[in-house]
Amino acid sequence: MRFSILASGSTGNSIYIENDSGAYLVDAGLTAKRIEAQLAKIGRSMKNVNAIFVTHEHSDHIKGVGVLARKHGVPIYANQKTWQAMDGLVGDISLEQRFQFDMETVHSFGSISIESFAVSHDSVDPMFYVFHEDDRKLAIITDTGYVSDRMKGIIKSADSFVFESNHDVGMLQMGRYPWSVKRRILSDVGHVSNEDAAIAMNDVIEQKETQIYLSHLSRDNNMKDLARMSVEQTLQTCGIIAGEFVHLHDTDAEEPTELITV
């Protein structure tokens, strides 16, 4: 199983996952043209993609869904409430391409099993996904105000994580955003801070080689170096030294990562 983070952040989110029998997108929050361009940079195309799995209806996660569905005939999966919220936002998608992926369920696609789980965000019914193949596990968790014990139990012991590290609390509090936006980001239905992300990581990392990709970093309230330093320091306080078996990486909002083997 391999994956590439095509885009991550408030300007758009999309992750490409493939194995020897199929390929998938989690979200398509860029324009269809941009998604196609990002795929081309890693030597892939929408012809490879067998399905798109939607996490929630915010525009930075669904911007390209409708056009990609109509242009390429790709199946779209989302839970019922998210489908209802997307109506009117993504244009017409044929019934033959609309599939329901209920919360807290597992669907199998060839040798990959995909598990959905609830997160806490200010959308109608947000959920993210864990991809399983054989004994390998990729967990994707962003757009959540906190990481509950239930979430931790589902994502625990993944080999690779795409983990939200959205903001530095001090930068956010001192920044230019109006207080109503700051309050929303800091709330239980907002986004996870660098420190809170690291505290959650401490509970889900096992003593094995683990790749962590810090994602959904705020352009205004975070910096790559600050996020990595904050996470490293918090993990070290918890007794985990990054570099021994935990390998931290940041993501670029503009360029896709190279294909990563889970």
Side-chain angles (χ1 to χ4, degrees):
M1 183 165 52
R2 299 164 293 277
F3 72 98
S4 170
I5 303 168
L6 302 181
S8 178
S10 58
T11 58
N13 298 271
S14 188
I15 300 173
Y16 172 83
I17 302 102
E18 68 173 20
N19 70 348
D20 293 339
S21 60
Y24 315 94
L25 292 180
V26 171
D27 290 332
L30 306 170
T31 64
K33 184 177 181 180
R34 182 85 187 284
I35 292 280
E36 292 166 341
Q38 296 295 80
L39 286 170
K41 291 177 181 178
I42 60 169
R44 300 295 187 270
S45 76
M46 282 302 299
K47 293 178 181 178
N48 301 104
V49 175
N50 300 101
I52 299 174
F53 303 101
V54 176
T55 62
H56 61 292
E57 76 278 7
H58 287 171
S59 63
D60 59 324
H61 293 260
I62 65 166
K63 186 180 297 181
V65 166
V67 174
L68 291 173
R70 290 185 288 276
K71 183 176 179 181
H72 298 284
V74 61
I76 311 297
Y77 289 78
N79 64 47
Q80 183 178 8
K81 290 181 180 179
T82 298
W83 268 120
Q84 292 170 348
M86 285 197 297
D87 281 343
L89 300 176
V90 296
D92 292 333
I93 297 176
S94 71
L95 290 176
E96 292 77 14
Q97 292 173 257
R98 290 173 171 252
F99 292 86
Q100 190 165 317
F101 201 137
D102 292 330
M103 188 84 71
E104 314 287 347
T105 60
V106 178
H107 287 222
S108 293
F109 298 81
S111 59
I112 283 183
S113 295
I114 305 172
E115 180 180 8
S116 63
F117 64 97
V119 295
S120 179
H121 197 50
D122 56 352
S123 56
V124 294
D125 208 17
M127 66 185 193
F128 274 80
Y129 301 96
V130 177
F131 286 72
H132 303 264
E133 184 181 37
D134 299 327
D135 62 343
R136 309 300 290 174
K137 180 175 178 179
L138 164 64
I140 301 170
I141 179 167
T142 72
D143 296 78
T144 189
Y146 68 99
V147 184
S148 68
D149 288 342
R150 178 164 179 77
M151 296 179 212
K152 292 174 186 175
I154 292 169
I155 67 175
K156 187 178 178 66
S157 75
D159 301 280
S160 297
F161 292 93
V162 179
F163 214 115
E164 177 168 62
S165 189
N166 178 256
H167 60 274
D168 173 80
V169 173
M171 284 185 68
L172 176 62
Q173 290 175 333
M174 297 298 292
R176 62 181 178 83
Y177 286 7
W179 173 241
S180 60
V181 176
K182 294 178 182 180
R183 185 170 56 206
R184 175 244 171 192
I185 293 170
L186 291 167
S187 76
D188 282 351
V189 292
H191 291 279
V192 171
S193 70
N194 296 334
E195 292 79 8
D196 286 345
I199 291 169
M201 289 176 204
N202 176 63
D203 293 334
V204 300
I205 294 170
E206 292 200 336
Q207 297 285 327
K208 64 177 182 177
E209 290 294 320
T210 305
Q211 300 278 351
I212 300 175
Y213 288 80
L214 305 180
S215 61
H216 217 303
L217 273 66
S218 169
R219 287 184 171 184
D220 293 306
N221 303 303
N222 212 347
M223 296 180 290
K224 289 182 181 180
D225 290 344
L226 177 60
R228 290 185 67 177
M229 181 181 70
S230 297
V231 171
E232 285 179 351
Q233 288 179 345
T234 304
L235 286 177
Q236 187 170 2
T237 300
C238 295
I240 297 174
I241 299 176
E244 288 188 345
F245 61 90
V246 175
H247 307 286
L248 290 174
H249 309 271
D250 47 52
T251 56
D252 193 316
E254 301 297 328
E255 295 297 323
T257 65
E258 63 183 14
L259 279 167
I260 304 147
T261 300
V262 178

